[in-house]
Amino acid sequence: DGGITQSPKYLFRKEGQNVTLSCEQNLNHDAMYWYRQDPGQGLRLIYYSQIVNDFQKGDIAEGYSVSREKKESFPLTVTSAQKNPTAFYLCASSIAWEGNQPQHFGDGTRLSIL
Amino acid sequence: GENVEQHPSTLSVQEGDSAVIKCTYSDSASNYFPWYKQELGKGPQLIIDIRSNVGEKKDQRIAVTLNKTAKHFSLHITETQPEDSAVYFCAANPTDSWGKFQFGAGTQVVVTP
């Protein structure tokens, strides 16, 4: 079955530690996205990638970094510079950046501070 | 840029009744409007979408209507069932950056038996 796989489902971070969230898709989609969701809130865009080897900052990129070395993979690193990292992180992909294409989401990673 | 407002924030309905959620958007050139359903602890799932060249789209018990003049679109759920309980999000695509969807804040729908 095609889809988006996020791992791990739960992640704990110590003070001063960087952690990396995995996102893999086998949909052959060009575009990928990372969102942050806080309790009772909507989705805020952290980073997006229109195509492999390219990515841009979204609305809340400070304290985060990404890479897009392979079409199917878009890992997100939450750095120690992100002072309030506790949230639900969602990865999404779409067939293309241009035009009116739906985004498909993984089942998220919940990050908490130890 | 695009701004999307979603109402109501919570909606409680009796099983079998209809539910309606409304979203307004600001960018008159936006041309794609998806709706997502998010169950607890899971990612949002696309349930229906509409493009600006149509006014209404239906899929079994759910439908979406679009009023381009008034810049609003609505999700209609008929004959609600307990499994319809979830958070629903609307979104619109801004013309200055197509892939950067602007999402509404979400509507918590509770269907009581």
Side-chain angles (χ1 to χ4, degrees):
Chain A
D1 282 337
I4 299 173
T5 302
Q6 291 188 241
S7 61
K9 192 170 178 65
Y10 299 96
L11 189 57
F12 298 91
R13 196 191 90 168
K14 295 179 182 178
E15 292 287 339
Q17 186 181 45
N18 294 351
V19 292
T20 298
L21 285 61
S22 171
C23 177
E24 302 280 328
Q25 54 99 357
N26 61 2
L27 300 167
N28 200 31
H29 285 178
D30 278 331
M32 297 187 74
Y33 314 81
W34 273 106
Y35 292 91
R36 171 179 171 141
Q37 187 175 34
D38 292 286
Q41 304 293 314
L43 285 74
R44 293 187 290 169
L45 184 65
I46 304 172
Y47 268 96
Y48 63 97
S49 168
Q50 297 182 35
I51 200 163
V52 64
N53 292 321
D54 174 76
F55 54 83
Q56 284 86 35
K57 294 181 180 179
D59 301 321
I60 55 164
E62 186 174 351
Y64 301 97
S65 66
V66 294
S67 62
R68 186 84 189 277
E69 297 174 0
K70 296 188 293 184
K71 186 176 184 177
E72 61 269 25
S73 179
F74 192 40
L76 173 74
T77 297
V78 184
T79 75
S80 57
Q82 172 50 246
K83 297 307 179 188
N84 183 24
T86 297
F88 190 47
Y89 290 87
L90 290 159
C91 178
S93 70
S94 61
I95 194 166
W97 172 259
E98 297 85 11
N100 46 13
Q101 302 298 327
Q103 295 181 16
H104 301 275
F105 287 83
D107 273 340
T109 292
R110 191 167 299 280
L111 176 62
S112 302
I113 295 296
L114 279 178
Chain B
E2 178 71 277
N3 183 46
V4 175
E5 294 189 0
Q6 182 172 347
H7 297 281
S9 57
T10 58
L11 181 59
S12 184
V13 295
Q14 285 285 116
E15 183 177 357
D17 288 349
S18 295
V20 181
I21 305 169
K22 181 176 177 179
C23 288
T24 60
Y25 61 97
S26 59
D27 186 342
S28 58
S30 291
N31 64 2
Y32 180 66
F33 309 92
W35 283 92
Y36 291 87
K37 174 183 180 182
Q38 186 176 26
E39 297 177 343
L40 197 61
K42 301 222 165 178
Q45 181 182 22
L46 179 72
I47 55 171
I48 197 167
D49 56 10
I50 192 167
R51 292 175 170 79
S52 59
N53 58 343
V54 298
E56 183 173 358
K57 183 176 178 180
K58 191 173 181 180
D59 183 3
Q60 299 182 353
R61 294 188 298 107
I62 60 172
V64 55
T65 57
L66 172 64
N67 184 328
K68 289 189 292 183
T69 302
K71 292 190 285 185
H72 66 72
F73 57 110
S74 299
L75 178 72
H76 305 255
I77 307 173
T78 58
E79 301 171 23
T80 54
Q81 300 167 5
E83 52 264 39
D84 294 329
S85 296
V87 178
Y88 293 80
F89 291 97
C90 63
N93 62 338
T95 51
D96 59 349
S97 190
W98 292 114
K100 290 179 68 176
F101 288 179
Q102 288 298 311
F103 286 87
T107 297
Q108 174 75 62
V109 173
V110 177
V111 180
T112 52

